[in-house]
């Protein structure tokens, strides 16, 4: 061994016949062209609609009538955006989508906070403090995630009416908390179960109780999962349409419901540029969250996919 | 220090208190609400729920209503199409993405972003693109091909495919992400072994990878299917169920009878049928997924 | 120090019990994990629970700590029945395999968390943390987070977290398993010194027999939720009460030869061996196992002094430096033999081997109990 090692450099030279070193690589093989070609074509399918919307929302109506929807605007105008935000009409109200936007904010913020607070404590109780019956409730809860909402719509109307919250914002917050619970509880339970159990045991030996372990040990370790849950809930609740129509009055309609009313209202001349601006405005919040959160969104989507 | 055994009821008291919202939701809303709806589907409730049993009358009426039959038919076409297309598209894209490509993050971002948008937004976008006076048809015609026709949303026979196009745009990225995660979960050494054995790539996918990805396929199947059965917002935004009854869906049927036509009994019967359909998909899956492995 | 006479788990007799476990049962559903287990640990004793994975040793420790709810039986610590007490009320400190340090707290925070929960005055907390840090030489680390510590440092902090509690009993759940070999040996020595300095009761779970032999005052060998043998390391090694214990302790494992015991003679593939000199517990004729440790099979010229001698062929040689292990064939049987490190041996060579009946162990074939 040692002998080969010390004399190696001298012996290597005559051995260098045939291919040596890095394999020459062709960037433009047929396979590669097919691969990237397909991906680019598919990307166009996903991207073009967004492009068309943006372009349309920046054109004036005359230009839309004569031009084609893929052409960039000859003359960029932000009027449609202003109109969509401040003047578009739903029914008798003509104060634009801004009303729906603020309604959605008023609905989304408390719903996200309350649903995550409750579900995270639930998940923690299920993961670390197993008690009799817990698994039964949890199984029902997970099955609940698959029950079509239509089945539970009316009983909830009655329940909310009984406690005097039907049509109120608080009522809608409760509804979002209830329907967000299965997936969020699952998310948190799985996360807390993945934390080392010995940590929980050490805290028990150290005399910490249910709430102290939650706040002082678990919470500080769980920031990523809270972010995932927040992404999931903000997009989910912001995008909700069904609960918004069923459980609110026109005055407190969320943005999605208002948008649908603006665009699909049959009266008056269709202003496509305003419609597209309004649509973009409604999609803006989830899109910003999506692009800002990157991989965390993917994690949330994979977990939240159960929501269907 | 306690030498007596504390009562079972008060052990882990805080945990039990913390679980009250979950217990209430599970029992009152999910179990109770479902049972209530099923029970009242056997009554002739109209504007208000009334305990006035009529047996299976509502179901008989439901199955002899043209709109419901068309809705079911639409759902079947839409569902079959969505399942096949989203699986094929999702799997092929995932395989392409798994080729150690450059800009993987960019491609993934592009394919998944529609999933962040609501069905309402999705429906409205595609309503615009498929608009015959301005959208694709208009462009091709103005490029010289005057007889070109592509207006699915205004042709009863094709409208459902227009909806499918939009749904696929919104949801196929998710299927791709799930499948990609499945592909990534497969031991890389299988590829090395196959390369050394000289097995062609397509054969590895068909013979080894796809069978190994069974759990991912099943998860995706359950998710896509339960999404299909619930489809509502998209149709409302894109077509409002039209033209005619061409894109009516069961979920919309329920909503319209519940809050518009004020025929609660019909709505309850229809939603019970939806529940039944979901259970047929979910229960076998749950038994397979959780039944076999449950241990004390 | 501790009793050298044979002790069976069912006859606990310890003068000053610090921990006493009485007919403990634990089952998960239908699975019985621990059954009617009795154990007394005297004050200041270092007891090691030893066994392969799944034998119930960690489960027993978790029961003592109060982290698992018993199905039946009692646990007393420091003279008090703590069967239903919370883990923090039992007068225990615990060290875990994964260290289980609170990642978001500094070392100081980790050490003082339990004391703060007890609402101890600040000055006393500071005093105790300082003392524990001094003993373990971790003062310079007090302001750091666990992520910034090496494995050995983390385990010291974990030990410190137990120490500050000033507990009656310290429980260790495989505390050295996550460390590399060198560090493990160092910390083992430190743990032994710590025990000598503090004099507290310690119960230590491990699957590593070297740790068990070196640290323990007494070892409890567990299998299938039961204690197979409880005794001092020397006792366990030289007087195993069952074939399982005999085979479990010692590396390489004891050689076993199957045969028949008849009137003081063991008939087997090696021939008929006269067992004169063997200290019988309860001679009983019938099928039996003869066990002999590799170091008790004498090679070469030492073999000449032994009453039983045979020729052996060497199949395999494992040189370890200080000694050499040889796998040999004697009369068709494979045996391990320990040879001193200086003698050079090669595979294929033949050599005489010998042993004396005083050094063998006989076990009944069916019950596997010592004869």
């Amino acid at each position: 061994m040692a002998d080969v090692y010390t004399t190696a450099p001298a012996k290597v030279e005559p051995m260098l016949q045939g291919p040596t070193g890095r394999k020459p690589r062709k960037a433009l093989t047929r396979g590669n062209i097919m691969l990237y070609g397909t991906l680019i074509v598919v990307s166009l399918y996903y991207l073009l609609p967004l492009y068309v919307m943006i372009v349309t929302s920046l054109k004036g109506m005359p230009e839309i009538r004569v031009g084609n929807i893929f052409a960039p605007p000859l003359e960029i105008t932000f009027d449609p955006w202003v109109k969509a935000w401040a003047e578009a009409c739903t029914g008798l109200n003509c104060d634009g989508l801004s009303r729906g936007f603020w309604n959605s904010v008023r609905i989304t913020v408390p719903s996200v906070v309350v649903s995550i607070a409750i579900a995270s404590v639930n998940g923690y109780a299920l993961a670390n403090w197993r008690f009799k019956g817990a698994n039964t409730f949890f199984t029902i809860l997970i099955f609940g995630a698959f029950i079509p909402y239509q089945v539970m719509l009316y009983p909830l109307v009655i329940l909310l009416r009984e406690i005097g919250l039907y049509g109120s914002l608080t009522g809608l917050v409760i509804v979002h908390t209830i329907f967000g619970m299965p997936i969020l509880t699952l998310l948190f339970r799985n996360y807390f179960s993945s934390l080392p159990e010995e940590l929980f045991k050490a805290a028990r030996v150290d005399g910490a109780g249910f709430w102290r372990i939650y706040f002082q040990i678990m919470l500080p370790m769980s920031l990523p999962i809270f972010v995932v849950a927040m992404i999931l809930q903000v997009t989910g609740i912001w995008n909700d349409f069904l609960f918004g129509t069923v459980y609110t009055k026109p005055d407190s309609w969320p943005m999605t419901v208002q948008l649908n009313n603006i665009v699909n209202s049959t009266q008056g001349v269709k202003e496509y540029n305003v419609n597209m601006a309004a649509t973009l405005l409604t999609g803006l919040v989830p899109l910003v969250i999506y692009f800002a959160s990157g991989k965390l969104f993917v994690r949330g989507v994979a977990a939240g996919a159960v929501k269907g | 220090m306690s030498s007596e055994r504390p009562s079972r009821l008060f052990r882990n008291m805080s945990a039990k208190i913390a679980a009250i919202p979950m217990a209430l939701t599970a029992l009152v809303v999910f179990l109770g609400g479902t049972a209530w709806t099923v029970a009242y589907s056997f009554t002739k409730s109209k504007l208000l729920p009334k305990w006035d049993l009529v047996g299976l009358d509502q179901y008989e009426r439901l199955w002899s209503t043209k709109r419901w039959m068309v809705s079911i038919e639409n759902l079947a076409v839409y569902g079959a199409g969505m399942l096949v297309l989203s699986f094929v598209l999702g799997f092929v894209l995932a395989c392409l993405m798994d080729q150690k490509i450059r800009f993987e993050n960019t491609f993934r971002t592009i394919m998944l972003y529609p999933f962040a948008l609501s069905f309402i937004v999705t429906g409205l976008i595609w309503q615009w693109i498929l608009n015959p006076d301005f959208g694709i048809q208009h462009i091709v015609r103005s490029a010289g091909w005057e007889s070109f026709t592509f207006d699915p949303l205004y042709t009863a026979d094709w409208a459902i495919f227009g909806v499918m196009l939009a749904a696929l745009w919104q949801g196929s990225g998710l299927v791709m992400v799930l499948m990609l995660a499945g592909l990534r979960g497969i031991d890389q050494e299988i590829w090395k072994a196959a390369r050394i054995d000289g097995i062609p790539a397509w054969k590895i996918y068909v013979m080894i990878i796809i069978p190994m990805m069974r759990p991912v396929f099943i998860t995706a199947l359950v998710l896509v299917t339960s999404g299909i059965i619930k489809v509502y917002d998209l149709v409302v935004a894109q077509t409002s169920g039209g033209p005619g009854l061409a894109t009516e869906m069961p979920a919309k049927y329920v909503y319209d009878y519940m809050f518009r036509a004020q025929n609660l009994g019909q709505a309850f019967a229809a939603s019970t049928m939806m529940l039944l359909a979901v259970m047929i998909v979910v229960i076998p899956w749950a038994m397979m997924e959780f039944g076999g492995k449950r241990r004390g | 120090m501790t009793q050298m006479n044979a002790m069976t788990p069912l006859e606990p007799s310890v003068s000053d019990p610090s921990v006493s476990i009485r007919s403990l049962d634990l089952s998960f559903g239908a699975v019985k994990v621990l059954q009617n287990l009795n154990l007394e640990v005297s004050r200041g004793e270092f007891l090691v629970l030893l066994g392969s994975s799944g034998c119930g040793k960690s489960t027993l420790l978790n029961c003592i700590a109060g982290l698992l709810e018993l199905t039946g039986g009692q646990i007393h610590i420091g003279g008090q029945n703590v069967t239903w007490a919370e883990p923090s009320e039992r007068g225990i400190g615990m060290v875990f395999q994964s260290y289980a340090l609170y990642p978001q707290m500094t070392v100081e925070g980790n050490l003082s968390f339990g004391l703060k929960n007890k609402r101890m005055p600040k000055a006393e907390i500071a005093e105790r943390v300082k003392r524990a840090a001094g003993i373990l030489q971790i003062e310079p680390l007090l302001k750091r987070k666990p992520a910034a510590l090496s494995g050995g440092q983390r385990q010291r902090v974990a030990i410190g977290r137990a120490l500050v509690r000033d507990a009656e009993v310290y429980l260790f759940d495989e505390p050295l398993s996550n460390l590399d070999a060198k560090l493990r040996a160092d910390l083992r020595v430190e743990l032994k010194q710590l025990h000598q300095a503090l004099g507290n009761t310690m119960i230590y779970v491990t699957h590593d027999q070297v740790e068990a032999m070196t640290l323990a005052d007494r070892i409890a060998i567990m299998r299938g939720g039961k204690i197979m043998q409880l005794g001092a390391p020397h006792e366990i090694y030289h007087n195993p009460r069952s074939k399982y214990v005999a085979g479990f302790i010692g590396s390489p494992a004891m050689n076993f030869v199957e045969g028949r015991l008849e009137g003081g003679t063991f008939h087997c593939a090696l021939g008929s061996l006269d067992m004169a000199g063997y200290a019988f517990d309860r001679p009983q004729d019938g099928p039996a196992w003869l066990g002999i440790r590799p170091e008790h099979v004498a090679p070469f010229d030492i073999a000449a002094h032994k009453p039983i001698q045979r020729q052996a062929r060497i199949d395999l040689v494992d040189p370890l430096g200080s000694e050499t292990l040889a796998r040999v064939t004697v009369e068709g049987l494979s045996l391990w033999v320990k040879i001193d490190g200086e003698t050079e041996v090669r595979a294929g060579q033949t050599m005489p081997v010998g042993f004396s009946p005083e050094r063998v162990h006989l076990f009944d074939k069916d019950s596997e109990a010592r004869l």
Side-chain angles (χ1 to χ4, degrees):
Chain A
M1 282 294 276
D3 164 287
V4 171
Y5 185 71
T6 48
T7 57
K11 280 186 177 173
V12 159
E13 287 302 330
M15 283 157 65
L16 284 178
Q17 289 164 347
T20 92
R22 179 187 277 246
K23 197 174 179 177
R25 223 181 285 164
K26 280 174 259 166
L28 286 175
T29 59
R30 249 182 58 186
N32 265 350
I33 293 172
M34 290 256 293
L35 176 63
Y36 287 97
T38 314
L39 284 172
I40 289 169
V41 169
V42 172
S43 297
L44 285 181
Y45 167 55
Y46 290 105
L47 278 179
L48 272 183
L50 185 66
Y51 166 79
V52 167
M53 283 215 299
I54 295 173
V55 170
T56 307
S57 74
L58 296 173
K59 290 175 186 169
M61 268 318 281
E63 196 186 329
I64 291 177
R65 283 195 199 93
V66 295
N68 86 44
I69 55 168
F70 293 110
L74 298 169
E75 210 178 312
I76 292 181
T77 165
F78 290 98
D79 288 352
W81 286 74
V82 175
K83 206 168 171 199
W85 176 254
E87 292 162 33
C89 298
T90 32
L92 296 175
N93 296 320
C94 279
D95 44 8
L97 258 182
S98 54
R99 171 199 290 269
F101 175 85
W102 291 113
N103 281 339
S104 275
V105 171
R106 273 196 290 270
I107 293 163
T108 304
V109 171
S111 301
V112 169
V113 172
V114 172
S115 63
I116 290 182
I118 289 182
S120 64
V121 174
N122 266 346
Y124 158 70
L126 286 168
N128 292 308
W129 299 78
R130 291 159 210 138
F131 52 88
K132 246 195 163 143
N135 272 330
T136 316
F137 291 131
F138 184 63
T139 312
I140 298 174
L141 202 67
I142 294 305
F143 263 97
F146 290 100
I147 301 175
Y149 297 140
Q150 280 76 11
V151 176
M152 292 170 286
L153 278 183
Y154 208 85
L156 262 182
V157 168
I158 297 178
L159 273 177
L160 289 177
R161 202 184 277 144
E162 288 297 311
I163 49 178
L165 292 174
Y166 181 56
S168 72
L169 230 120
T170 319
L172 189 56
V173 170
I174 293 176
V175 170
H176 279 303
T177 304
I178 285 173
F179 287 108
M181 203 182 284
I183 180 59
L184 287 182
T185 305
L186 182 73
L187 189 73
F188 281 106
R189 190 194 76 135
N190 289 353
Y191 181 80
F192 289 129
S193 303
S194 74
L195 295 180
E197 204 195 351
E198 292 195 338
L199 212 56
F200 173 74
K201 288 181 176 176
R204 292 278 313 274
V205 173
D206 270 340
F210 184 87
W211 294 108
R212 190 182 288 270
I213 295 178
Y214 176 74
F215 282 111
Q216 292 196 7
I217 310 292
M218 297 299 177
L219 268 198
M221 294 176 68
S222 316
L223 198 66
I225 204 69
F226 274 89
V227 175
V228 167
M230 254 173 63
I231 294 168
L232 198 66
Q233 283 300 85
V234 172
T235 41
I237 294 170
W238 190 273
N239 287 341
D240 161 69
F241 175 78
L242 183 63
F243 301 142
T245 16
V246 174
Y247 299 104
T248 54
K249 300 192 177 88
D251 273 352
S252 45
W253 271 348
M255 208 170 182
T256 46
V257 180
Q258 205 194 355
L259 170 74
N260 189 49
N261 273 288
I262 291 176
V263 177
N264 281 330
S265 73
T266 39
Q267 318 115 311
V269 189
K270 286 240 179 196
E271 290 180 289
Y272 296 110
N273 50 358
V274 176
N275 289 351
M276 285 301 109
T279 308
L280 275 173
L281 276 170
T282 311
L284 216 52
V285 168
L287 275 187
V288 166
I289 288 177
Y290 173 73
F291 287 112
S293 59
K295 286 222 159 154
L296 279 174
F297 183 87
V298 177
R299 239 179 101 182
V301 152
V306 183
K307 213 170 169 184
Chain B
M1 272 176 233
S2 49
S3 53
E4 259 168 67
R5 181 171 209 159
S7 157
R8 282 217 155 246
L9 188 65
F10 294 107
R11 279 186 81 78
N12 294 343
M13 201 54 203
S14 302
K16 284 176 185 171
I17 291 171
I20 286 176
M22 176 181 74
L24 281 181
T25 300
L27 291 181
V28 177
V29 181
F30 290 172
L31 265 191
T34 305
W36 189 93
T37 298
V38 173
Y40 272 85
S41 72
F42 300 109
T43 68
K44 61 175 186 190
S45 307
K46 282 281 180 194
L47 174 61
L48 290 170
K50 234 167 74 188
W51 189 248
D52 195 350
L53 287 170
V54 289
L56 291 172
D57 278 11
Q58 296 288 5
Y59 292 90
E60 271 168 37
R61 253 195 68 204
L62 180 70
W63 287 102
S64 57
T65 305
K66 187 179 172 220
R67 184 176 159 192
W68 173 255
M69 298 308 286
V70 173
S71 298
I72 294 285
E73 221 171 276
N74 288 341
L75 186 66
V77 174
Y78 171 81
M82 269 303 281
L83 270 180
V84 172
L85 291 177
S86 65
F87 267 63
V88 169
L89 189 62
F91 184 72
V92 169
L93 288 181
C95 289
L96 295 181
M97 295 283 282
D98 200 30
Q99 304 301 315
K100 300 199 177 64
I101 58 165
R102 304 181 69 185
F103 313 115
E104 185 193 316
N105 278 340
T106 313
F107 281 120
R108 200 195 45 229
T109 307
I110 290 172
M111 292 176 198
L112 192 57
Y113 88 89
F115 191 73
L117 295 171
S118 65
F119 277 122
I120 299 295
V121 169
T122 305
L124 296 178
I125 296 173
W126 282 89
Q127 194 187 57
W128 175 236
I129 295 198
L130 299 177
N131 184 322
D133 299 331
F134 298 96
I136 295 173
Q137 174 176 310
H138 170 73
I139 290 169
V140 178
R141 281 187 183 177
S142 56
W145 185 358
E146 293 289 339
S147 63
F148 178 82
T149 311
F150 186 69
D151 58 344
L153 297 188
Y154 293 86
T155 318
D157 287 347
W158 293 102
I160 197 79
F161 297 98
V163 176
M164 215 185 284
L165 201 60
L168 211 57
W169 178 78
Q170 205 256 3
S172 53
L174 168 72
V175 181
M176 186 278 289
V177 165
L178 289 175
M179 302 254 175
L180 186 59
L183 284 173
R184 294 276 152 87
I186 287 171
D187 191 351
Q188 287 304 303
E189 308 216 319
I190 286 193
W191 286 105
K192 292 180 192 167
R195 240 185 108 181
I196 288 167
D197 288 342
I199 304 170
W202 67 268
K203 224 174 186 175
I204 304 172
Y205 274 114
V206 175
M207 313 281 290
I208 300 166
I209 304 297
I210 292 180
M212 278 179 87
M213 278 176 57
R214 214 185 67 117
V216 176
F217 280 116
I218 292 175
T219 309
L221 180 75
V222 171
L223 299 179
V224 172
T225 312
S226 70
I228 288 170
I229 295 173
K230 288 176 187 174
V231 65
Y232 172 71
D233 318 13
L234 181 62
V235 171
V236 168
Q238 203 180 353
T239 65
S240 306
L245 297 176
T247 54
E248 285 292 343
M249 289 290 174
K252 190 163 171 290
Y253 185 94
V254 172
Y255 180 88
D256 288 348
Y257 274 86
M258 204 176 272
F259 298 104
R260 298 239 162 94
Q262 292 164 344
N263 189 342
L264 288 177
Q266 264 299 287
F268 296 152
S271 54
T272 304
M273 294 317 300
M274 287 179 67
L275 175 69
L276 207 64
V278 172
M279 288 300 136
I280 287 170
V281 178
V282 168
I283 287 177
W285 168 72
M287 286 191 355
M288 244 176 356
E289 196 86 325
F290 308 109
K293 325 181 218 180
R294 182 155 291 168
R295 270 178 220 135
Chain C
M1 189 164 51
T2 42
Q3 44 284 81
M4 296 293 288
N5 59 318
M7 269 204 42
T8 59
L10 286 173
E11 297 161 2
S13 63
V14 173
S15 51
D16 180 15
S18 170
V19 176
S20 123
I21 293 159
R22 299 174 192 168
S23 36
L24 183 145
D25 281 315
L26 180 82
S27 34
F28 295 129
V31 186
K32 289 186 174 161
V33 184
L34 299 172
Q35 284 184 66
N36 192 25
L37 194 139
N38 291 280
L39 180 67
E40 307 257 322
V41 188
S42 56
R43 182 151 287 134
E45 184 176 7
F46 200 118
L47 180 95
V48 173
L49 302 174
L50 177 65
S52 47
S53 56
C55 72
K57 56 190 194 298
S58 279
T59 311
L60 175 58
L61 197 75
N62 277 305
C63 286
I64 298 172
L67 295 167
L68 282 174
E69 206 178 318
L70 310 188
T71 313
Q74 289 186 330
I75 294 174
H76 296 247
I77 294 176
Q80 268 166 312
N81 183 348
V82 296
T83 310
W84 305 118
E86 281 293 304
S88 54
E89 298 165 352
R90 296 183 171 219
I92 55 154
M94 190 160 177
V95 179
F96 298 90
Q97 177 179 357
S98 65
Y99 325 128
L101 298 179
Y102 311 125
Q104 71 281 2
M105 298 183 192
T106 60
V107 168
E108 194 171 12
N110 267 282
L111 295 183
S112 54
F113 183 65
L115 304 180
K116 280 184 194 151
N117 288 338
K118 273 188 181 168
R119 302 182 192 285
M120 189 177 277
K122 277 215 171 89
E124 197 181 343
I125 294 180
E127 171 60 33
R128 286 203 191 186
V129 169
K130 202 177 147 214
R131 203 180 66 216
I135 293 172
L136 293 162
Q137 297 168 321
I138 50 172
E139 293 109 323
L141 311 177
L142 282 177
K143 298 292 174 208
R144 291 212 213 152
K145 293 267 177 79
L149 303 179
S150 69
Q153 289 169 331
R154 284 181 205 181
Q155 199 49 285
R156 273 164 213 263
V157 175
I159 295 170
R161 188 171 58 186
L163 285 191
V164 292
R165 300 180 61 81
D166 249 346
E168 163 86 24
V169 186
Y170 293 122
L171 308 175
F172 295 87
D173 194 356
E174 308 221 18
L176 306 182
S177 299
N178 279 10
L179 301 173
D180 62 53
K182 169 90 175 70
L183 213 51
R184 192 153 52 200
D186 293 348
L187 263 168
R188 202 173 67 213
V189 174
E190 279 184 45
L191 266 178
K192 195 162 187 170
Q193 287 166 343
L194 189 69
H195 179 240
Q196 280 165 0
L198 296 174
N200 287 56
T201 312
M202 294 188 176
I203 302 179
Y204 187 105
V205 164
T206 184
H207 62 266
D208 180 327
Q209 47 173 302
V210 178
E211 266 172 40
M213 297 295 282
T214 49
L215 287 170
D217 292 328
R218 279 195 303 163
I219 298 176
I221 297 201
M222 293 186 65
R223 182 197 195 188
K226 288 182 184 140
I227 294 178
M228 301 296 287
Q229 187 170 358
L230 176 66
H234 186 269
E235 162 90 10
I236 298 257
Y237 190 82
H238 292 288
N239 195 12
R241 306 307 304 161
S242 63
K243 178 171 178 265
Y244 177 79
V245 172
F248 187 81
I249 287 276
S251 174
M254 186 183 278
N255 299 300
F256 286 107
V257 180
E258 204 176 344
R260 241 189 119 69
L261 186 67
E262 256 161 40
T265 308
F266 187 74
H267 305 279
C268 64
L270 297 173
S272 297
L273 312 175
D274 185 8
M275 287 291 112
Y278 178 75
F280 276 105
D281 273 13
R282 42 178 196 96
Q284 182 195 326
D285 287 355
W289 289 101
L290 177 143
I292 180 141
R293 294 201 183 277
E295 65 266 35
H296 295 145
V297 183
F300 298 114
D301 36 338
I302 320 170
H305 306 294
K306 302 295 177 187
I308 299 163
Q309 298 171 23
R310 294 289 183 275
Q311 275 298 312
R313 198 187 68 246
I314 301 177
D315 301 325
L316 198 78
V317 176
D318 280 356
L320 299 177
S322 64
E323 63 199 20
T324 301
L325 300 178
R327 181 108 185 137
V328 303
T329 308
V330 186
E331 313 280 351
L333 289 173
S334 270
L335 300 179
W336 280 106
V337 182
K338 223 177 237 182
I339 306 169
D340 70 276
E342 271 124 64
T343 317
E344 271 200 52
V345 286
R346 286 187 323 277
Q349 203 180 333
T350 54
M351 66 172 181
V353 293
F355 57 90
S356 46
E358 297 103 81
R359 289 302 199 180
V360 305
H361 308 268
L362 291 171
F363 304 100
D364 180 59
K365 181 90 192 292
D366 296 327
S367 66
E368 300 202 338
R370 190 180 184 85
L371 294 175

